[in-house]
Amino acid sequence: GIAHDFNNFLTAIIGYGNVLRMKTREDDPLRDYINQILALSEKAANLTQSLLAFSRKQIMNPRPVNLNDIVKGIEKLLLRFMGEDIKLETLLDERELTVMADIGQIEQVLINLATNARDAMPDGGSLTIKTEPVRVDDEYAKHRLFERPGMYALISVADTGAGMDEETKKKIFEPFFTTKELGKGTGLGLSIVFGIIKQHDGYIDVHSESNKGTTFKIYLPLIVSEIEKAPTTPMGGTETISSDEPLKSKGGIG
């Protein structure tokens, strides 16, 4: 509620600021101050949107979309900012994985995870994005805190970076938690990811060990079609389901 109210105040400030800028000449010495006010207001508005995403109150525009198409659509962008020292590989399932999703928000999830992966691999490495259909049965759903069993589209984002210890892993989804140096991270990246996935009725799981890389697994409810008989089932392991419990990494989370 506070984030919504604050956003309303910022909207008014930005509106009055734009009116003021329109009423001043280009060579007016006050013009620079107006631009600074507007720029800082925009940053504050973006921060507010991040808080809304974490609290799962961000406005969504979901529609049926093939998860593979989202990955393909953002692959070139990811390649550009991953750098030459990091190899990006996508392993997309041949079947159509249709989910009800806001494309922009799922892209934001992938960008945030890729950014953290890049920061965890300062000396280079590899990032693998994989999609597949999985069936979550009653027992697995209960054990892993899924609200309901059924078919899910699973997207795995795995890096070969620094990894995380158990204490870090417990905190990484907390808002404002970061392992980066002061001024180099807001600590909202993974909390936004968590909020977006929860808002999509999905689940996020993380497996990581120090110096052995990190794998995030995102489960989104699958709109079942020809995949209904898919035999794949998530297996057990050492993953830690996130539920509403936060999670960190040596490479700089946030």
Side-chain angles (χ1 to χ4, degrees):
I2 292 173
H4 272 296
D5 291 343
F6 187 61
N7 197 53
N8 290 336
F9 294 145
L10 286 171
T11 300
I13 292 171
I14 292 171
Y16 285 124
N18 279 313
V19 171
L20 187 59
R21 184 164 60 179
M22 287 189 294
K23 291 182 177 292
T24 56
R25 302 187 312 273
E26 288 284 347
D27 59 349
D28 193 315
L30 296 177
R31 186 80 177 223
D32 185 56
Y33 294 108
I34 297 171
N35 289 335
Q36 290 294 329
I37 290 171
L38 287 171
L40 291 171
S41 297
E42 291 288 352
K43 287 184 178 181
N46 291 334
L47 179 59
T48 305
Q49 289 302 313
S50 297
L51 290 171
L52 290 172
F54 172 74
S55 64
R56 308 163 210 166
K57 299 297 183 183
Q58 196 175 29
I59 296 175
M60 290 205 313
N61 296 300
R63 63 181 180 86
V65 59
N66 183 358
L67 187 61
N68 290 330
D69 289 341
I70 298 179
V71 177
K72 290 176 185 176
I74 202 172
E75 187 174 1
K76 289 184 179 179
L77 176 62
L78 296 180
L79 278 169
R80 280 203 295 269
F81 75 75
M82 290 306 290
E84 295 181 357
D85 295 332
I86 297 176
K87 177 186 177 183
L88 175 64
E89 184 178 16
T90 55
L91 304 173
L92 306 182
D93 198 275
E94 295 180 355
R95 290 161 290 188
E96 187 169 306
L97 304 177
T98 305
V99 296
M100 186 67 72
D102 182 305
I103 296 176
Q105 290 192 19
I106 299 302
E107 288 178 341
Q108 186 178 4
V109 165
L110 294 174
I111 289 172
N112 285 359
L113 292 179
T115 300
N116 275 309
R118 179 195 63 190
D119 294 342
M121 298 183 287
D123 298 321
S126 64
L127 178 68
T128 303
I129 300 176
K130 180 181 178 182
T131 63
E132 60 184 314
V134 296
R135 185 185 300 279
V136 174
D137 59 25
D138 291 328
E139 183 177 351
Y140 190 87
K142 183 178 180 180
H143 179 64
R144 294 294 189 181
L145 306 181
F146 282 70
E147 287 186 13
R148 58 180 180 272
M151 293 298 301
Y152 287 83
L154 169 62
I155 180 167
S156 304
V157 181
D159 67 61
T160 58
M164 315 176 221
D165 57 31
E166 286 301 318
E167 284 304 308
T168 301
K169 209 160 58 170
K170 293 176 181 177
K171 300 177 182 178
I172 60 172
F173 291 123
E174 290 180 359
F176 306 114
F177 174 82
T178 180
T179 61
K180 295 177 182 177
E181 296 176 17
L182 185 64
K184 292 190 176 181
T186 62
L188 283 171
L190 290 179
S191 64
I192 291 172
V193 168
F194 183 83
I196 289 174
I197 297 306
K198 283 291 185 179
Q199 200 171 1
H200 280 76
D201 295 322
Y203 307 87
I204 184 166
D205 207 4
V206 61
H207 174 65
S208 183
E209 295 181 45
S210 294
N211 302 314
K212 292 186 178 180
T214 300
T215 299
F216 285 94
K217 292 185 177 182
I218 295 168
Y219 298 81
L220 297 173
L222 190 61
I223 298 177
V224 180
S225 55
E226 72 277 3
I227 292 181
E228 191 165 5
K229 296 182 180 180
T232 313
T233 303
M235 302 302 292
T238 56
E239 294 93 344
T240 305
I241 193 71
S242 314
S243 67
D244 283 319
E245 180 182 332
L247 305 182
K248 139 181 166 176
S249 172
K250 209 174 181 181
I253 293 293

